């Protein structure tokens, strides 16, 4: 972790090989990071505060946080669960280009962090894949972990790219994603 006079800057050494993390009932201090953070809200309500403005989030929200976005999380007093998926800039560019040409540029150049709504079936699929990552990581199969991590990223970005267009994806989940602020 690098420390600015106002906030810490997280790097991959800090998360020590974590590809994804399930966070329960926890405020997060003001910080930024050198990687992308894809946040899937599972339960409860909270506010993700950014320098560009606040985003109120509740279950089934997806937020795509870019490297260097300064932010912090405050819970709204309800039990809250959300999943963070950590992605290097290089991997984000590769996967975004597979989903849609120009998607990476759209996300990195957005004036504010992107937020949309995804359905419960999609969230359940993300959670199932994350559970597989945990199981495989414990068996020391790094190649399998990398493949599953790519699946998580692909599924999350597909939800954003397909916003407003319900359709079945390759994993068999219905996705309906729309912009919300």
């Amino acid at each position: 972790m690098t420390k600015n006079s106002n906030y810490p800057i997280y790097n991959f050494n800090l998360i020590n090989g974590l590809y994804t993390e399930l966070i329960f009932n926890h405020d997060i201090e003001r910080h930024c990071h050198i990687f992308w953070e894809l946040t899937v809200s599972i339960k409860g309500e909270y506010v993700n505060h950014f320098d560009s403005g606040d985003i109120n989030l509740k279950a089934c929200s997806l937020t795509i946080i870019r490297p260097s976005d300064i932010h912090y999380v405050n819970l709204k007093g309800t039990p809250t669960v959300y999943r963070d998926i950590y992605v290097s800039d290089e991997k984000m560019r590769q996967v975004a280009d597979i989903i849609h040409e120009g998607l990476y540029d759209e996300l990195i150049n957005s004036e504010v962090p992107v937020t949309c709504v995804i359905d419960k079936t999609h969230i359940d699929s993300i959670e199932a894949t994350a559970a597989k990552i945990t199981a495989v990581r414990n068996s020391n199969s790094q190649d399998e972990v990398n493949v599953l991590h790519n699946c998580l990223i692909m599924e999350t970005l597909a939800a954003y790219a397909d916003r407003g267009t319900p359709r079945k994806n390759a994993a068999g989940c219905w996705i309906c994603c729309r912009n919300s602020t």
Side-chain angles (χ1 to χ4, degrees), residues 23-61:
I23 300 170
F24 295 90
N25 303 320
H26 188 66
D27 288 335
I28 305 293
E29 70 179 341
R30 187 172 192 259
H31 69 281
C32 74
H33 24 74
I34 64 166
F35 46 85
W36 292 78
E37 180 180 312
L38 311 177
T39 300
V40 178
S41 304
I42 299 167
K43 177 182 177 183
E45 296 183 22
Y46 61 99
V47 179
N48 206 331
H49 302 273
F50 293 88
D51 283 359
S52 58
D54 296 346
I55 300 175
N56 291 303
L57 300 163
K58 58 185 178 179
C60 299
S61 298

Side-chain angles (χ1 to χ4, degrees), residues 69-118:
D69 277 338
I70 301 166
H71 66 112
Y72 63 98
V73 172
N74 283 119
L75 305 181
K76 288 187 159 186
T78 62
T80 303
V81 180
Y82 58 93
R83 173 157 309 278
D84 284 346
I85 302 165
Y86 309 115
V87 186
S88 71
D89 192 58
E90 177 185 354
K91 187 175 282 193
M92 185 67 154
R93 184 180 301 273
Q94 291 169 350
V95 174
D97 285 347
I98 291 168
I99 296 289
H100 182 283
E101 185 177 338
L103 178 57
Y104 177 87
D105 290 335
E106 178 182 328
L107 295 171
I108 197 75
N109 294 321
S110 176
E111 290 184 24
V112 295
V114 172
T115 300
C116 66
V117 175
I118 60 176

